[in-house]
Amino acid sequence: QVQLVESGGGLVQAGGSLRLSCAASGRTFNNNVMGWFRQAPGKEREFVAVINRSGDRSYADSVKGRFTISRDNTKNAVYLQMNSLKPEDTAVYYCAAKASYGLSRYPSPYDYWGQGTQVTVSS
């Protein structure tokens, strides 16, 4: 019903910035909440940031003050501006969407997922 495609990942030095984009297609009218998660090798998928259609946001403590999530409801897109990147931010970043309204910090409630984009931060 919904397809999500991430872009914008790449290799950057510590202290640098990247902007990730997620384009949604299909039955996007039920994408009430969209978020970003990340997964490093050998680790569980972890929450990064989430946003609803009204612009309410929530962030993981590890990225507060450095990352900003935003969305464009007309374009059916969500973005993640990442500043002051650290080597520990290295991971595959996934875009996710769900119909229910809660700003969930866990992967299980999300209905749709992108295939991920690699972010590598070197020192």
Side-chain angles (χ1 to χ4, degrees):
Q1 290 185 312
V2 175
Q3 297 79 46
L4 304 175
V5 179
E6 303 95 337
S7 62
L11 175 64
V12 65
Q13 292 186 347
S17 299
L18 284 174
R19 185 173 187 256
L20 305 183
S21 298
C22 174
S25 61
R27 300 173 65 87
T28 58
F29 51 83
N30 285 327
N31 290 352
N32 295 311
V33 175
M34 300 185 71
W36 290 94
F37 292 77
R38 66 188 183 186
Q39 188 167 23
K43 293 188 176 182
E44 295 289 309
R45 190 166 299 187
E46 68 173 353
F47 169 77
V48 176
V50 64
I51 188 170
N52 64 15
R53 289 188 180 276
S54 299
D56 299 319
R57 301 170 172 88
S58 184
Y59 297 93
D61 289 340
S62 60
V63 306
K64 284 182 179 178
R66 299 189 298 123
F67 291 9
T68 302
I69 188 171
S70 61
R71 67 186 291 168
D72 187 330
N73 295 326
T74 301
K75 295 182 178 180
N76 298 313
V78 64
Y79 310 94
L80 186 68
Q81 178 66 47
M82 306 186 294
N83 298 325
S84 301
L85 283 162
K86 305 174 181 179
E88 48 264 47
D89 294 318
T90 296
V92 176
Y93 283 70
Y94 296 91
C95 176
K98 69 183 182 74
S100 58
Y101 291 106
L103 299 178
S104 180
R105 291 168 166 259
Y106 301 93
S108 54
Y110 289 84
D111 303 301
Y112 305 102
W113 293 85
Q115 292 190 327
T117 185
Q118 177 70 48
V119 172
T120 303
V121 184
S122 65
S123 59

